[in-house]
Coordinates of all heavy atoms in Angstrom, one line a residue:
M24 N -3.3 5.0 -17.1 CA -2.7 6.2 -16.4 C -3.8 7.1 -15.8 O -4.7 7.5 -16.5 CB -1.9 6.9 -17.5 CG -1.0 8.0 -16.9 SD 0.1 8.4 -18.2 CE 0.8 9.9 -17.4
E25 N -3.6 7.4 -14.6 CA -4.6 8.3 -13.9 C -4.3 9.8 -14.1 O -3.1 10.2 -14.1 CB -4.6 8.0 -12.4 CG -5.7 8.7 -11.6 CD -5.7 8.2 -10.3 OE1 -5.0 7.3 -9.8 OE2 -6.7 8.7 -9.6
P26 N -5.3 10.7 -14.2 CA -5.1 12.0 -14.3 C -4.4 12.7 -13.2 O -4.4 12.2 -12.0 CB -6.5 12.7 -14.4 CG -7.4 11.6 -14.7 CD -6.7 10.3 -14.2
V27 N -3.6 13.7 -13.4 CA -2.8 14.3 -12.4 C -3.3 15.7 -12.2 O -3.7 16.4 -13.2 CB -1.2 14.4 -12.9 CG1 -0.4 15.2 -11.8 CG2 -0.7 13.0 -13.0
R28 N -3.3 16.2 -11.0 CA -3.9 17.5 -10.7 C -2.9 18.2 -9.7 O -2.0 17.5 -9.1 CB -5.3 17.5 -9.9 CG -6.3 16.8 -10.7 CD -6.8 17.7 -11.9 NE -7.9 17.1 -12.7 CZ -7.8 16.4 -13.8 NH1 -6.6 16.3 -14.3 NH2 -8.8 16.0 -14.4
T29 N -2.9 19.5 -9.5 CA -2.0 20.2 -8.6 C -2.8 20.7 -7.3 O -3.9 21.2 -7.5 CB -1.5 21.5 -9.4 OG1 -0.8 21.0 -10.5 CG2 -0.6 22.3 -8.4
C30 N -2.3 20.4 -6.2 CA -2.8 20.9 -4.9 C -2.7 22.4 -4.8 O -1.6 22.9 -5.0 CB -2.1 20.1 -3.7 SG -2.6 20.8 -2.2
I31 N -3.8 23.0 -4.5 CA -3.7 24.5 -4.4 C -3.0 24.9 -3.1 O -2.6 26.1 -2.9 CB -5.0 25.2 -4.5 CG1 -5.9 24.8 -3.5 CG2 -5.5 25.0 -5.9 CD1 -7.3 25.6 -3.4
G32 N -2.8 24.0 -2.2 CA -2.2 24.3 -0.9 C -0.7 24.3 -1.0 O 0.0 25.3 -0.7
C33 N -0.1 23.1 -1.4 CA 1.4 22.9 -1.4 C 1.9 23.1 -2.9 O 3.2 23.1 -3.1 CB 1.7 21.6 -0.8 SG 1.1 20.3 -1.7
R34 N 1.0 23.1 -3.8 CA 1.4 23.3 -5.4 C 2.2 22.0 -5.8 O 2.9 22.1 -6.8 CB 2.3 24.6 -5.5 CG 1.6 25.9 -5.1 CD 0.5 26.3 -5.9 NE 0.9 26.5 -7.3 CZ 0.0 26.4 -8.3 NH1 -1.2 26.1 -8.2 NH2 0.5 26.5 -9.6
M35 N 2.0 20.9 -5.2 CA 2.6 19.7 -5.6 C 1.6 18.9 -6.6 O 0.4 18.9 -6.2 CB 2.9 18.7 -4.4 CG 4.0 19.3 -3.5 SD 5.7 19.5 -4.3 CE 6.0 17.8 -4.5
R36 N 2.1 18.3 -7.5 CA 1.2 17.5 -8.4 C 1.0 16.1 -7.8 O 2.0 15.5 -7.3 CB 1.9 17.4 -9.8 CG 1.9 18.8 -10.5 CD 2.7 18.8 -11.8 NE 2.3 17.8 -12.8 CZ 1.3 18.0 -13.7 NH1 0.8 19.1 -13.9 NH2 1.0 17.0 -14.6
A37 N -0.2 15.6 -7.9 CA -0.5 14.2 -7.4 C -1.6 13.7 -8.3 O -2.3 14.4 -9.0 CB -0.9 14.4 -5.9
E38 N -1.8 12.4 -8.1 CA -2.9 11.7 -8.8 C -4.2 12.2 -8.3 O -4.3 12.5 -7.1 CB -2.7 10.2 -8.7 CG -1.6 9.6 -9.4 CD -1.4 8.1 -9.2 OE1 -2.2 7.6 -8.3 OE2 -0.7 7.4 -10.0
R39 N -5.2 12.2 -9.1 CA -6.5 12.8 -8.8 C -7.1 12.0 -7.6 O -7.8 12.7 -6.8 CB -7.4 12.7 -10.0 CG -8.7 13.2 -9.9 CD -9.5 13.1 -11.1 NE -11.0 13.0 -10.8 CZ -11.9 13.1 -11.7 NH1 -11.6 13.1 -13.0 NH2 -13.2 13.0 -11.4
S40 N -6.9 10.7 -7.5 CA -7.5 10.0 -6.5 C -6.9 10.3 -5.1 O -7.6 10.0 -4.1 CB -7.3 8.5 -6.7 OG -5.9 8.1 -6.8
S41 N -5.8 10.9 -5.0 CA -5.3 11.2 -3.7 C -5.6 12.6 -3.3 O -5.2 13.1 -2.2 CB -3.7 11.0 -3.7 OG -3.1 12.0 -4.6
L42 N -6.4 13.4 -4.1 CA -6.7 14.7 -3.7 C -8.2 14.8 -3.5 O -9.0 14.0 -4.0 CB -6.3 15.7 -4.8 CG -4.8 15.7 -5.1 CD1 -4.5 16.5 -6.4 CD2 -4.0 16.3 -4.0
L43 N -8.7 15.9 -2.8 CA -10.0 16.3 -2.7 C -10.4 17.4 -3.7 O -9.6 18.3 -3.8 CB -10.3 16.8 -1.3 CG -10.2 15.8 -0.1 CD1 -10.5 16.6 1.2 CD2 -11.3 14.8 -0.3
R44 N -11.5 17.3 -4.2 CA -12.1 18.3 -5.1 C -13.0 19.3 -4.2 O -13.8 18.7 -3.5 CB -12.8 17.8 -6.3 CG -13.2 19.0 -7.2 CD -13.9 18.4 -8.4 NE -14.3 19.4 -9.4 CZ -15.5 19.9 -9.5 NH1 -16.5 19.5 -8.8 NH2 -15.6 20.8 -10.4
V45 N -12.8 20.6 -4.3 CA -13.6 21.5 -3.5 C -14.2 22.4 -4.5 O -13.7 22.7 -5.5 CB -12.9 22.3 -2.4 CG1 -12.4 21.3 -1.3 CG2 -11.7 23.0 -2.9
V46 N -15.5 22.9 -4.2 CA -16.2 23.8 -5.0 C -16.9 24.9 -4.1 O -16.9 24.7 -2.9 CB -17.3 23.1 -5.9 CG1 -16.8 22.3 -6.9 CG2 -18.3 22.5 -5.0
A47 N -17.1 26.1 -4.6 CA -17.8 27.1 -3.9 C -19.3 27.0 -4.1 O -19.8 27.0 -5.2 CB -17.2 28.5 -4.3
R48 N -20.1 27.0 -3.0 CA -21.5 27.0 -3.1 C -22.0 28.1 -2.2 O -21.9 28.0 -1.0 CB -22.1 25.7 -2.6 CG -21.8 24.5 -3.6 CD -22.9 24.5 -4.5 NE -22.7 23.5 -5.5 CZ -22.8 23.7 -6.8 NH1 -23.3 24.8 -7.2 NH2 -22.7 22.8 -7.6
D49 N -22.5 29.1 -2.7 CA -23.0 30.3 -1.9 C -22.0 30.7 -1.1 O -22.2 31.0 0.2 CB -24.3 29.9 -1.2 CG -25.4 29.5 -2.2 OD1 -25.5 30.1 -3.2 OD2 -26.2 28.6 -1.9
F50 N -20.7 30.9 -1.5 CA -19.6 31.5 -0.7 C -19.1 30.6 0.4 O -18.5 31.0 1.4 CB -19.9 32.9 -0.3 CG -20.2 33.8 -1.4 CD1 -21.5 34.3 -1.6 CD2 -19.2 34.1 -2.3 CE1 -21.8 35.1 -2.7 CE2 -19.6 35.0 -3.4 CZ -20.9 35.5 -3.6
V51 N -19.5 29.3 0.2 CA -19.1 28.3 1.3 C -18.3 27.3 0.5 O -18.8 26.7 -0.5 CB -20.3 27.6 2.0 CG1 -19.8 26.5 3.0 CG2 -21.0 28.7 2.8
V52 N -17.0 26.9 1.0 CA -16.2 25.9 0.3 C -16.8 24.5 0.8 O -16.9 24.2 1.9 CB -14.8 26.0 0.7 CG1 -14.0 24.9 0.1 CG2 -14.3 27.4 0.3
V53 N -17.2 23.7 -0.2 CA -17.7 22.4 0.0 C -16.9 21.3 -0.6 O -16.4 21.5 -1.7 CB -19.2 22.3 -0.5 CG1 -19.8 21.0 -0.4 CG2 -20.1 23.4 -0.1
V54 N -16.7 20.2 0.1 CA -15.9 19.1 -0.4 C -16.9 18.3 -1.4 O -18.0 17.9 -1.1 CB -15.5 18.2 0.7 CG1 -14.8 17.0 0.2 CG2 -14.6 18.9 1.6
D55 N -16.3 18.1 -2.6 CA -17.0 17.4 -3.6 C -16.6 15.9 -3.6 O -15.6 15.6 -4.3 CB -16.8 18.0 -5.0 CG -17.6 17.4 -6.1 OD1 -18.4 16.5 -5.9 OD2 -17.4 17.8 -7.3
E56 N -17.2 15.1 -2.8 CA -16.9 13.7 -2.7 C -16.8 12.9 -4.0 O -15.9 12.1 -4.2 CB -17.8 13.0 -1.7 CG -17.9 13.5 -0.4 CD -16.6 13.3 0.5 OE1 -15.8 12.4 0.2 OE2 -16.5 14.0 1.5
T57 N -17.7 13.1 -4.8 CA -17.8 12.4 -6.0 C -17.1 13.0 -7.3 O -17.1 12.5 -8.3 CB -19.2 12.1 -6.5 OG1 -19.9 13.3 -6.6 CG2 -20.0 11.3 -5.4
A58 N -16.6 14.3 -7.0 CA -15.9 15.0 -8.1 C -16.9 15.2 -9.3 O -16.5 15.2 -10.4 CB -14.7 14.4 -8.5
S59 N -18.2 15.5 -8.9 CA -19.2 15.6 -10.0 C -20.0 16.8 -9.9 O -20.9 17.1 -10.7 CB -19.9 14.4 -10.1 OG -20.7 14.2 -8.9
L60 N -19.8 17.7 -8.8 CA -20.7 18.8 -8.7 C -20.4 19.8 -9.7 O -19.2 19.9 -10.2 CB -20.4 19.5 -7.3 CG -20.9 18.8 -6.1 CD1 -20.5 19.5 -4.8 CD2 -22.4 18.7 -6.1
P61 N -21.3 20.6 -10.1 CA -21.1 21.6 -11.2 C -20.4 22.7 -10.7 O -20.4 23.0 -9.5 CB -22.6 22.0 -11.6 CG -23.4 21.7 -10.5 CD -22.8 20.5 -9.7
G62 N -19.7 23.4 -11.6 CA -18.9 24.6 -11.2 C -17.5 24.4 -11.2 O -16.9 23.3 -11.4
R63 N -16.8 25.5 -11.1 CA -15.3 25.4 -11.0 C -14.8 24.7 -9.8 O -15.2 25.1 -8.7 CB -14.7 26.8 -11.2 CG -13.2 26.8 -11.4 CD -12.8 28.2 -11.9 NE -11.3 28.1 -12.1 CZ -10.8 27.7 -13.1 NH1 -11.5 27.3 -14.1 NH2 -9.5 27.8 -13.2
G64 N -13.9 23.8 -9.9 CA -13.4 23.1 -8.7 C -11.9 23.4 -8.5 O -11.2 23.9 -9.4
A65 N -11.4 23.0 -7.4 CA -10.0 23.1 -7.1 C -9.7 21.9 -6.3 O -10.5 21.2 -5.7 CB -9.7 24.4 -6.2
W66 N -8.4 21.5 -6.4 CA -8.0 20.2 -5.8 C -7.0 20.5 -4.7 O -6.2 21.5 -4.7 CB -7.2 19.4 -6.9 CG -8.2 19.0 -8.0 CD1 -8.5 19.7 -9.1 CD2 -8.9 17.8 -8.1 NE1 -9.4 19.0 -9.8 CE2 -9.8 17.9 -9.3 CE3 -9.2 16.8 -7.2 CZ2 -10.6 16.9 -9.6 CZ3 -10.0 15.7 -7.6 CH2 -10.7 15.8 -8.8
L67 N -7.1 19.7 -3.6 CA -6.4 19.9 -2.4 C -6.1 18.6 -1.7 O -6.9 17.7 -1.7 CB -7.3 20.7 -1.5 CG -6.8 21.3 -0.2 CD1 -5.7 22.4 -0.4 CD2 -8.0 21.9 0.6
H68 N -4.8 18.4 -1.2 CA -4.5 17.2 -0.4 C -5.4 17.3 0.8 O -5.7 18.3 1.4 CB -3.1 17.2 0.1 CG -2.1 16.9 -1.0 ND1 -1.2 17.7 -1.6 CD2 -1.9 15.7 -1.6 CE1 -0.5 17.1 -2.5 NE2 -0.9 15.9 -2.5
P69 N -5.8 16.1 1.3 CA -6.8 15.9 2.4 C -6.1 16.1 3.7 O -6.2 15.2 4.6 CB -7.5 14.6 2.3 CG -6.4 13.8 1.5 CD -5.7 14.8 0.7
T70 N -5.3 17.1 3.9 CA -4.4 17.4 5.1 C -4.8 18.8 5.6 O -5.1 19.7 4.9 CB -3.0 17.2 4.9 OG1 -2.6 18.2 4.0 CG2 -2.6 15.8 4.5
D71 N -4.6 18.8 7.0 CA -4.8 20.2 7.6 C -3.8 21.2 7.1 O -4.0 22.4 6.9 CB -4.8 20.0 9.1 CG -5.2 21.3 9.9 OD1 -6.2 21.9 9.4 OD2 -4.5 21.6 10.8
V72 N -2.5 20.7 6.9 CA -1.4 21.6 6.4 C -1.7 22.3 5.1 O -1.6 23.5 4.9 CB -0.1 20.8 6.4 CG1 1.0 21.7 5.8 CG2 0.3 20.3 7.7
C73 N -2.2 21.5 4.2 CA -2.5 22.1 2.8 C -3.7 22.9 2.9 O -3.7 24.0 2.2 CB -2.7 20.9 1.8 SG -1.1 20.1 1.3
C74 N -4.7 22.6 3.7 CA -5.8 23.5 3.9 C -5.4 24.8 4.4 O -5.9 25.9 3.9 CB -6.9 22.8 4.8 SG -8.4 23.8 5.0
K75 N -4.6 24.8 5.4 CA -4.2 26.1 6.1 C -3.3 26.9 5.1 O -3.4 28.1 5.0 CB -3.4 25.8 7.4 CG -4.2 25.3 8.5 CD -3.5 25.2 9.7 CE -4.3 24.7 10.8 NZ -3.6 24.3 12.1
R76 N -2.6 26.3 4.3 CA -1.6 27.0 3.3 C -2.5 27.6 2.3 O -2.3 28.8 1.9 CB -0.7 26.1 2.6 CG 0.4 25.7 3.5 CD 1.5 24.9 2.8 NE 2.6 24.4 3.5 CZ 3.4 23.5 3.1 NH1 3.3 22.9 2.0 NH2 4.4 23.2 4.0
A77 N -3.6 26.9 1.8 CA -4.5 27.5 0.8 C -5.2 28.7 1.4 O -5.4 29.5 0.6 CB -5.4 26.3 0.3
V78 N -5.6 28.6 2.6 CA -6.4 29.7 3.2 C -5.5 30.8 3.4 O -5.9 32.0 3.1 CB -7.1 29.2 4.5 CG1 -7.6 30.4 5.3 CG2 -8.1 28.2 4.2
K79 N -4.3 30.6 3.9 CA -3.3 31.7 4.2 C -3.0 32.4 2.9 O -2.8 33.7 2.8 CB -2.1 31.1 4.9 CG -1.1 32.2 5.3 CD 0.0 31.6 5.9 CE 1.2 32.7 6.3 NZ 2.3 32.0 6.9
R80 N -2.7 31.7 1.8 CA -2.3 32.2 0.6 C -3.5 32.9 -0.2 O -3.3 33.3 -1.4 CB -1.6 31.2 -0.3 CG -0.3 30.7 0.3 CD 0.4 29.6 -0.6 NE 0.3 29.9 -2.0 CZ -0.3 29.0 -2.9 NH1 -0.8 28.0 -2.5 NH2 -0.3 29.3 -4.2
R81 N -4.7 32.7 0.2 CA -5.9 33.0 -0.4 C -6.0 32.3 -1.8 O -6.6 32.9 -2.8 CB -5.9 34.5 -0.6 CG -6.1 35.3 0.7 CD -6.3 36.8 0.5 NE -6.4 37.5 1.8 CZ -5.5 38.3 2.2 NH1 -4.4 38.5 1.5 NH2 -5.7 38.8 3.4
A82 N -5.5 31.1 -1.9 CA -5.5 30.3 -3.1 C -6.9 29.8 -3.4 O -7.2 29.6 -4.6 CB -4.5 29.2 -3.0
L83 N -7.8 29.6 -2.5 CA -9.1 29.1 -2.7 C -9.9 30.1 -3.5 O -10.6 29.6 -4.5 CB -9.8 28.8 -1.4 CG -9.4 27.4 -0.7 CD1 -9.9 27.4 0.7 CD2 -9.9 26.3 -1.5
G84 N -9.9 31.3 -3.1 CA -10.7 32.3 -4.0 C -10.2 32.5 -5.4 O -11.0 32.5 -6.3
R85 N -8.9 32.5 -5.5 CA -8.3 32.5 -6.9 C -8.6 31.3 -7.7 O -9.0 31.4 -8.9 CB -6.8 32.8 -6.8 CG -6.4 34.1 -6.4 CD -5.0 34.4 -6.6 NE -4.0 33.4 -6.1 CZ -3.5 33.4 -4.9 NH1 -3.9 34.3 -4.1 NH2 -2.7 32.4 -4.5
A86 N -8.4 30.2 -7.2 CA -8.7 28.9 -7.9 C -10.1 28.7 -8.2 O -10.5 28.3 -9.4 CB -8.2 27.7 -7.1
L87 N -11.0 29.1 -7.3 CA -12.5 29.0 -7.6 C -13.1 30.3 -8.3 O -14.2 30.2 -8.7 CB -13.2 28.7 -6.3 CG -12.8 27.4 -5.5 CD1 -13.4 27.3 -4.3 CD2 -13.1 26.2 -6.4
R88 N -12.3 31.2 -8.5 CA -12.6 32.5 -9.3 C -13.8 33.1 -8.5 O -14.8 33.5 -9.1 CB -12.8 32.3 -10.7 CG -11.7 31.8 -11.4 CD -11.8 31.8 -12.9 NE -10.6 31.3 -13.6 CZ -10.5 30.9 -14.8 NH1 -11.6 31.0 -15.5 NH2 -9.4 30.6 -15.2
V89 N -13.6 33.3 -7.2 CA -14.7 34.0 -6.4 C -14.0 35.2 -5.8 O -12.9 35.1 -5.2 CB -15.2 33.0 -5.2 CG1 -16.2 33.8 -4.4 CG2 -15.8 31.8 -5.8
S90 N -14.6 36.4 -6.0 CA -13.9 37.6 -5.6 C -14.2 38.0 -4.2 O -13.5 38.7 -3.5 CB -14.3 38.8 -6.5 OG -15.8 38.9 -6.4
S91 N -15.2 37.5 -3.6 CA -15.6 37.8 -2.2 C -15.1 36.8 -1.2 O -14.5 35.7 -1.6 CB -17.1 38.0 -2.0 OG -17.7 36.8 -2.2
A92 N -15.1 36.9 0.1 CA -14.6 36.1 1.0 C -15.3 34.8 1.1 O -16.6 34.7 0.9 CB -14.7 36.8 2.4
L93 N -14.6 33.7 1.3 CA -15.2 32.4 1.3 C -15.2 31.9 2.7 O -14.3 32.0 3.5 CB -14.4 31.4 0.4 CG -14.5 31.6 -1.1 CD1 -13.5 30.7 -1.7 CD2 -15.9 31.2 -1.5
N94 N -16.3 31.1 3.1 CA -16.4 30.5 4.4 C -15.7 29.1 4.2 O -16.3 28.2 3.5 CB -17.8 30.3 4.8 CG -18.0 29.7 6.2 OD1 -17.1 29.2 6.7 ND2 -19.2 29.7 6.7
T95 N -14.6 28.9 4.9 CA -13.9 27.6 4.8 C -14.1 26.7 6.0 O -13.5 25.7 6.1 CB -12.4 27.8 4.7 OG1 -11.9 28.5 5.8 CG2 -12.1 28.6 3.3
Q96 N -15.1 27.1 6.9 CA -15.2 26.3 8.1 C -15.7 24.9 7.9 O -15.2 23.9 8.5 CB -16.3 27.0 8.9 CG -16.4 26.5 10.4 CD -15.1 26.8 11.2 OE1 -14.5 27.9 11.0 NE2 -14.6 25.9 12.0
T97 N -16.5 24.7 6.8 CA -16.9 23.3 6.6 C -15.7 22.3 6.1 O -15.6 21.3 6.6 CB -18.0 23.3 5.4 OG1 -19.0 24.2 5.8 CG2 -18.5 21.8 5.2
L98 N -14.9 22.9 5.3 CA -13.7 22.2 4.9 C -12.8 21.9 6.0 O -12.2 20.8 6.2 CB -13.0 23.0 3.8 CG -11.6 22.5 3.3 CD1 -11.8 21.1 2.6 CD2 -11.0 23.5 2.3
E99 N -12.5 23.0 6.8 CA -11.5 22.8 8.0 C -12.1 21.8 9.0 O -11.3 20.9 9.5 CB -11.4 24.1 8.6 CG -10.6 25.1 7.8 CD -10.4 26.4 8.4 OE1 -10.8 26.7 9.5 OE2 -9.9 27.4 7.7
N100 N -13.4 21.8 9.2 CA -14.1 20.8 10.1 C -13.9 19.4 9.6 O -13.7 18.5 10.4 CB -15.5 21.1 10.4 CG -15.7 22.3 11.2 OD1 -14.8 22.8 11.9 ND2 -16.9 22.9 11.2
R101 N -14.1 19.2 8.3 CA -14.0 17.9 7.6 C -12.6 17.3 7.8 O -12.4 16.2 8.1 CB -14.4 17.9 6.3 CG -14.4 16.5 5.6 CD -14.6 16.6 4.2 NE -14.7 15.3 3.6 CZ -13.7 14.4 3.3 NH1 -12.5 14.7 3.8 NH2 -13.9 13.3 2.7
L102 N -11.5 18.2 7.6 CA -10.1 17.7 7.7 C -9.6 17.5 9.1 O -8.7 16.7 9.3 CB -9.3 18.8 6.9 CG -9.5 18.8 5.4 CD1 -8.6 19.9 4.8 CD2 -9.3 17.5 4.7
N103 N -10.2 18.3 10.0 CA -9.8 18.1 11.5 C -10.5 17.0 12.2 O -10.0 16.6 13.3 CB -10.0 19.4 12.2 CG -9.1 20.5 11.8 OD1 -8.0 20.2 11.3 ND2 -9.6 21.8 11.8
G104 N -11.5 16.4 11.6 CA -12.1 15.4 12.4 C -13.4 15.0 11.9 O -14.3 14.4 11.7

């Protein structure tokens, strides 16, 4: 049985293998490909819709427990192409 995580964009539960783990590195949101980077992580479906919802709801900052503004450009570029 595979672990289940919740997407911070759509709030739907899904298997860990179908989600991306993201972490904050120097106030930049970075995709953790191997799910092994240190620090608090958040899980997100690899779709543009979930990314936009998470940014709009300010869910990334809350989930990663970062009080200042986060740069999500790297994440958005990865999901768009």
Side-chain angles (χ1 to χ4, degrees):
M24 188 168 171
E25 189 171 1
V27 175
R28 302 288 184 259
T29 301
C30 172
I31 61 171
C33 65
R34 304 292 298 155
M35 297 292 294
R36 292 172 54 92
E38 292 181 346
R39 180 179 156 173
S40 62
S41 67
L42 300 171
L43 288 177
R44 182 176 187 259
V45 295
V46 296
R48 290 275 174 221
D49 299 322
F50 303 108
V51 176
V52 177
V53 178
V54 176
D55 183 4
E56 299 286 344
T57 61
S59 63
L60 287 176
R63 185 162 182 86
W66 297 88
L67 188 68
H68 281 112
T70 63
D71 190 44
V72 174
C73 285
C74 178
K75 286 181 181 177
R76 283 183 186 168
V78 171
K79 183 178 177 183
R80 294 178 43 238
R81 296 185 178 113
L83 284 166
R85 284 194 309 272
L87 298 173
R88 295 188 181 165
V89 177
S90 58
S91 61
L93 289 170
N94 182 350
T95 59
Q96 195 63 41
T97 306
L98 174 64
E99 291 173 8
N100 288 341
R101 184 189 183 288
L102 295 177
N103 289 330

